[in-house]
Amino acid sequence: MGITEQFLKFALLGAEWVMVVLILCSLLSLSIIIERIVAFSRIGGDFGEFVKGLTERLNSGESQEKVAAWCSGQKLLEASVAAVGLERSGDSLRSIEESMNATMISARTRLDRGLTILGTLGNNTPFIGLFGTIIGIIQAFNALATTKAAGPEVVMASISEALVATAVGLMVAIPAVVAYNFLGRVIKKKMANSETTARIIMTYFGRSRVE
């Protein structure tokens, strides 16, 4: 028996398992999206107000310890970067910069969690659904070829059912792609804001040590 016959036997077993896979993919995607939204909300806030408050405190002559404590009390990721820099005030400028960079790298790793899975689901679930549709079409034409009583209405009904798999695959993929792109933009913005915060801290230390 050749490969074609083997695949035909496999296809004739049905495509219900494809729907099960798509449902599991949908649940996985939804759980990641919800978990990421909750995680991002914990480090969200008004970055403009934070920068304004940080700049005012640094320029007011307030002690670095108090400013660092204020930053630690903020939920913003950018505030944690500033706090790390201020807490290392006794170190060299290079050490302070490397500490803040390390904090940003660690934060980026945490923020990226789950995004690879979302991207993979968004790219591949339509193909999984298409595979289920192809199996359904194979079944429909096989029924037409082997059953004398099978007419065009039966074939069309079978094909319409098979197309459901493609539709479900797209329904899983679209939210995953949208979430992946949205969260990716949020991460880029967070990293850019963190770098801005780090520059503010480095400028402050550079100015204060020259003075």
Side-chain angles (χ1 to χ4, degrees), residues 44-70:
D46 191 331
F47 177 67
E49 286 297 319
F50 165 71
V51 169
K52 180 180 177 182
L54 175 63
T55 303
E56 289 176 351
R57 282 172 168 77
L58 292 176
N59 293 334
S60 67
E62 189 173 341
S63 67
Q64 295 170 0
E65 291 78 10
K66 288 185 178 180
V67 179
W70 176 78

Side-chain angles (χ1 to χ4, degrees), residues 58-59 64 85-86 88-97 100 197-211:
L58 292 176
N59 293 334
Q64 295 170 0
L86 291 168
R88 300 292 296 272
S89 59
D91 297 345
S92 65
L93 291 178
R94 182 175 178 81
S95 296
I96 294 172
E97 184 176 15
M100 290 190 289
T197 303
R199 290 193 186 100
I200 292 173
I201 298 299
M202 293 304 298
T203 300
Y204 165 74
F205 280 123
R207 185 178 67 247
S208 63
R209 293 189 182 188
V210 169
E211 295 173 354

Side-chain angles (χ1 to χ4, degrees), residues 9-74:
K9 289 182 62 178
F10 169 74
L12 294 177
L13 294 176
E16 289 79 9
W17 64 271
V18 174
M19 297 301 296
V20 173
V21 170
L22 289 174
I23 291 172
L24 292 176
C25 288
S26 177
L27 294 175
L28 176 60
S29 175
L30 183 61
S31 65
I32 292 174
I33 292 171
I34 293 174
E35 188 275 332
R36 288 291 82 194
I37 290 174
V38 172
F40 278 55
S41 66
R42 291 174 180 168
I43 57 172
D46 191 331
F47 177 67
E49 286 297 319
F50 165 71
V51 169
K52 180 180 177 182
L54 175 63
T55 303
E56 289 176 351
R57 282 172 168 77
L58 292 176
N59 293 334
S60 67
E62 189 173 341
S63 67
Q64 295 170 0
E65 291 78 10
K66 288 185 178 180
V67 179
W70 176 78
C71 289
S72 297
Q74 307 294 313

Side-chain angles (χ1 to χ4, degrees), residues 88-122:
R88 300 292 296 272
S89 59
D91 297 345
S92 65
L93 291 178
R94 182 175 178 81
S95 296
I96 294 172
E97 184 176 15
E98 289 179 349
S99 297
M100 290 190 289
N101 287 338
T103 301
M104 287 187 282
I105 292 172
S106 176
R108 179 63 185 263
T109 301
R110 295 195 303 272
L111 293 176
D112 281 339
R113 188 180 303 150
L115 262 65
T116 301
I117 298 176
L118 281 180
T120 301
L121 292 175

Side-chain angles (χ1 to χ4, degrees), residues 77-190:
L77 166 63
E78 298 87 340
S80 65
V81 173
V84 168
L86 291 168
E87 289 168 359
R88 300 292 296 272
S89 59
D91 297 345
S92 65
L93 291 178
R94 182 175 178 81
S95 296
I96 294 172
E97 184 176 15
E98 289 179 349
S99 297
M100 290 190 289
N101 287 338
T103 301
M104 287 187 282
I105 292 172
S106 176
R108 179 63 185 263
T109 301
R110 295 195 303 272
L111 293 176
D112 281 339
R113 188 180 303 150
L115 262 65
T116 301
I117 298 176
L118 281 180
T120 301
L121 292 175
N123 288 329
N124 293 287
T125 47
F127 295 108
I128 298 174
L130 181 60
F131 184 66
T133 295
I134 291 172
I135 291 177
I137 291 173
I138 291 173
Q139 288 180 306
F141 281 102
N142 183 75
L144 182 63
T146 58
T147 306
K148 294 181 179 180
E153 297 82 4
V154 176
V155 175
M156 291 302 102
S158 299
I159 292 177
S160 65
E161 291 178 4
L163 289 172
V164 172
T166 297
V168 173
L170 292 173
M171 288 176 62
V172 176
I174 291 172
V177 171
V178 171
Y180 177 83
N181 291 333
F182 172 74
L183 294 174
R185 286 195 296 270
V186 173
I187 292 173
K188 283 185 178 180
K189 186 176 181 180
K190 280 289 181 184

